[in-house]
Amino acid sequence: IGSVVINNKKEDYFINSDFINYNKNQEKIYTKGNSKAFTNNEDIIITGDDFSFDRLSDTLQATGNVKIDDRKEDYILYSSDITYKKNSNQIFTKGKTDAIVQNKYKFNSRDVFLDRKVKEIKSNKYSIIEDNNSNIYKLSRFLYFYETKFLKGENLEITTNTLNEKSDKFYFDSA
């Protein structure tokens, strides 16, 4: 037990943890304690307490204090349970999820889906989004295209200029 490292240059991933168990027959890697995974070019860095990595499906399940820092796409996700499907470039979270997108938007949601190919983040759960212009968006569900900065949502309440004495509120069923 200590710092254990797997560096697979051929399949482009690096895993570091306090404890690692590799099941050769099932092609699965299990980690416990201070787990960290990233691609060798460090575009995406995943940290969490424990990992389960299925080499056959190229899927990483991370639990406990999980953080995904995607430097290429410019977002950070926080959750207690995240699944990253490397081949399809898709990320799924379970439960409470916070995100910072492009250092402009703070998302507070649950059960989030992020598609790195389509460049979208979405949730069918109640969500709150704050931008760095002091606007707050409350939605029953949302779809945000982070490359084009386009937000779609349902049951949308927008509060503008929340730091000012005079702010406006707008309500939309669908926008």
Side-chain angles (χ1 to χ4, degrees), residues 158-175:
I158 302 172
T159 306
T160 62
N161 302 313
T162 58
L163 298 180
N164 294 342
E165 200 172 289
K166 293 183 178 182
S167 65
D168 296 313
K169 275 196 179 186
F170 301 95
Y171 302 93
F172 303 94
D173 289 332
S174 181

Side-chain angles (χ1 to χ4, degrees), residues 22-162:
Y22 174 50
N23 184 323
K24 175 73 173 145
N25 294 335
Q26 295 180 352
E27 289 294 322
K28 291 187 179 179
I29 298 170
Y30 302 96
T31 72
K32 198 155 201 59
N34 298 311
S35 302
K36 182 177 183 179
F38 53 88
T39 55
N40 285 316
N41 61 8
E42 295 191 28
D43 278 349
I44 187 165
I45 300 170
I46 304 169
T47 57
D49 294 338
D50 305 323
F51 290 169
S52 173
F53 179 55
D54 185 328
R55 292 185 62 209
L56 299 177
S57 66
D58 221 6
T59 300
L60 177 74
Q61 173 83 34
T63 56
N65 301 307
V66 183
K67 175 184 174 183
I68 294 185
D69 185 352
D70 189 327
R71 296 173 182 185
K72 181 179 178 185
E73 298 297 328
D74 195 17
Y75 63 78
I76 301 172
L77 290 175
Y78 300 93
S79 187
S80 62
D81 191 330
I82 291 179
T83 301
Y84 172 49
K85 295 187 174 190
K86 188 177 175 203
N87 288 341
S88 61
N89 262 328
Q90 296 177 329
I91 298 168
F92 305 87
T93 73
K94 289 182 188 170
K96 184 178 180 326
T97 305
D98 294 319
I100 300 169
V101 179
Q102 300 157 334
N103 281 324
K104 293 181 182 182
Y105 307 100
K106 293 180 184 175
F107 289 73
N108 183 308
S109 189
R110 301 182 65 76
D111 303 338
V112 171
F113 171 76
L114 189 142
D115 189 322
R116 295 179 79 230
K117 287 183 182 176
V118 181
K119 301 184 185 310
E120 71 178 23
I121 180 171
K122 66 181 175 180
S123 175
N124 290 326
K125 306 288 185 178
Y126 176 79
S127 304
I128 298 173
I129 303 169
E130 297 179 46
D131 67 22
N132 59 0
N133 292 320
S134 303
N135 300 311
I136 298 175
Y137 308 82
K138 297 178 181 178
L139 315 97
S140 63
R141 63 188 318 172
F142 75 90
L143 170 61
Y144 179 66
F145 295 93
Y146 55 85
E147 186 174 53
T148 58
K149 298 177 179 68
F150 182 74
L151 175 68
K152 291 173 64 173
E154 291 183 10
N155 301 317
L156 175 64
E157 175 188 313
I158 302 172
T159 306
T160 62
N161 302 313
T162 58

Side-chain angles (χ1 to χ4, degrees), residues 7-20:
N7 186 357
N8 188 325
K9 293 179 183 179
K10 182 180 175 186
E11 295 177 23
D12 188 33
Y13 67 82
F14 179 96
I15 298 175
N16 183 24
S17 185
D18 290 342
F19 176 80
I20 295 178

